Amino acid sequence: MKHRIQKKMYHVEILPPKQDTEKLEADLELFAEKYNRVMESVYCASITDNAMGNLAFQGTEIIEELGLEVNPEQVMIHLNTFHTKQDLHNILDICKSRGIKYLLIISGDGSDRLPRLQPSDVQVKGVVESVTSVELLKYIKDEYPDTFVLGAAFNPYEPPEHEFEKLQRKLKAGASFIITQPIIKKNDIVDELLEKYPDVPVIIEAWMSKKIHLLSDAVGYEIPEDTQFDPIETLKMLHKIYPACGVYLSLLGFKTQYHLIKETWI
Amino acid sequence: MKIVVCIKQVPATSEAKIDPETKRIVREGLKAIMNPFDIYAVEEGIQLRDKFGGEVIVLSMGPEKALLSLREAISLGADRAILLSDKAFGGSDTWATSYTLAKAIDKIGDVDLVICGKQAIDGDTAQVGPGIAAHLDWVQATYVMRVEDADSKSIKVKRMHEDGYDICEMDFPAVITVLKDINIPRVPTLKGCLASLKIEIPVWTHADIGAAIEKIGLDGSPTRVVKTAPPPPRNIITQRIEGSPQDCARQLVRELRIRSIL
């Protein structure tokens, strides 16, 4: 993962088409267009898993169905705990057969329509009421040894003591890289993270939407709706502050921003 | 086992508005989805077919837009679908709707089992499933939470009611309405969704199913909605408890005890 940072490789978030789309074929075409553009740029396509609990198609099934080319270094699949055991294994088996090795394991957001993994599904013993990313990380590591490079999420806006303790469990369970929540300025907790884990690759999330107020819930304080925000300038600033970190670009505008990001690495 | 699953397309939001003139839901501009309870009915139909063989036919009455929900059911694994769409069906209440669906089931022929969701989230009547059974003069079990057993001639189900559970054994043909507890519905696959786009779904009118014109639509509906109003807003009072954590906890327990919650 470190080599990606050295190679100035962005992790570009791509959202698969939603299940309730009324223009599935057009949405698939757009997905393929974005995916191929990321491949051509030699960045990494980071494909979400039912983001925000919205039912969407799986990145793996789209890659299969559309016959998209996979360069193992350029694809990352997000995987959360809202699956049946059978679906989970389907996804992992496709990843394995297509050579997709980077997985970001998160607890995820559920909805009424999404089944959740049960402790017995991931062979958890003892009193565990629900499966989190920790149990899922351990399960994948045990079931698919030496197959995947697993990542975990880190939220610098949660109480730090709790978040660091959780991160320690994720790393122990099998995570070998970290992706943060969106960072919009220098963040003391991220600094502490880098200091505590100098050998673990850290990828910071850059918020690429101009609608910065949408981050209010994530950061835990109110950002007024009329706040002016320049994502590209913020991205440049983040590179200066965190030169040793990779960057995950969320909600990147492919029409308006994609051509600008090449110049943002220092 | 020949299974018909009846589904309804409903507005996606609980904030649907009521037309003051017609007393009906204003559907324009609202996103439409398959009635959430019906997804469990489709899943149960597919599971029974996978276990006992046969086919699952999904049936819906509604405008052409309802084809989307029928395609969704096919993407989940149903074998085929039929839409009942005709201006003459407009204004149907639950009695006329269940008559229309029963006529279509009759036309499909040799049906062993009809499965409906327990109710639709827009009307909340829970009457259409029982209405279909009444029109067909078939046995029925409502609020089914588990299929205990089945074979080619009968089905044994566990149904829930206010005082507990019933275990019902019914010979086919039969109608059941199902609860959310009955299964965990699968999520459609991309392959299934793409395949569903290519399937031709027949659209039947009242003439196709031989429905008597006086028994369908507004004319066939004995229900008259006289008045519709939203429920009164809840009067919620927020009480803030301040002090040290120990004092707050003590005060919280006291308040809960006063209200007989603890």
Side-chain angles (χ1 to χ4, degrees), chain B residues 102-122:
Chain B
K103 290 299 287 182
I105 291 161
D106 205 30
K107 178 176 170 166
I108 291 167
D110 300 321
V111 173
D112 297 302
L113 181 66
V114 173
I115 310 178
C116 304
K118 76 157 181 165
Q119 67 195 60
I121 58 165
D122 54 355

Side-chain angles (χ1 to χ4, degrees), chain B residues 4-80:
Chain B
V4 169
V5 180
C6 297
I7 68 166
K8 185 181 184 186
Q9 194 176 54
V10 295
T13 172
S14 55
E15 291 164 11
K17 289 188 178 125
I18 309 287
D19 186 316
E21 294 287 315
T22 62
K23 310 283 191 286
R24 288 191 217 137
I25 293 169
V26 180
R27 292 176 192 272
E28 286 76 33
L30 283 178
K31 195 171 169 57
I33 55 166
M34 192 195 307
N35 176 43
F37 289 107
D38 299 346
I39 296 171
Y40 296 83
V42 173
E43 176 65 33
E44 199 56 28
I46 294 166
Q47 286 190 16
L48 286 170
R49 179 208 55 200
D50 290 349
K51 205 166 171 188
F52 300 103
E55 66 171 336
V56 176
I57 304 152
V58 191
L59 184 63
S60 187
M61 186 179 108
E64 204 175 316
K65 208 177 165 189
L67 285 169
L68 277 176
S69 293
L70 290 170
R71 290 197 192 285
E72 185 184 343
I74 289 173
S75 73
L76 286 165
D79 299 283
R80 56 190 174 107

Side-chain angles (χ1 to χ4, degrees), chain A residues 19-20 57 61 65 113 115, chain B residues 31 185-188 190-191 193:
Chain A
Q19 290 262 359
D20 63 358
F57 293 103
E61 58 180 344
E65 188 63 39
R113 263 312 258 123
Chain B
K31 195 171 169 57
R186 67 198 69 195
V187 174
L190 178 59
K191 234 178 229 326
C193 285

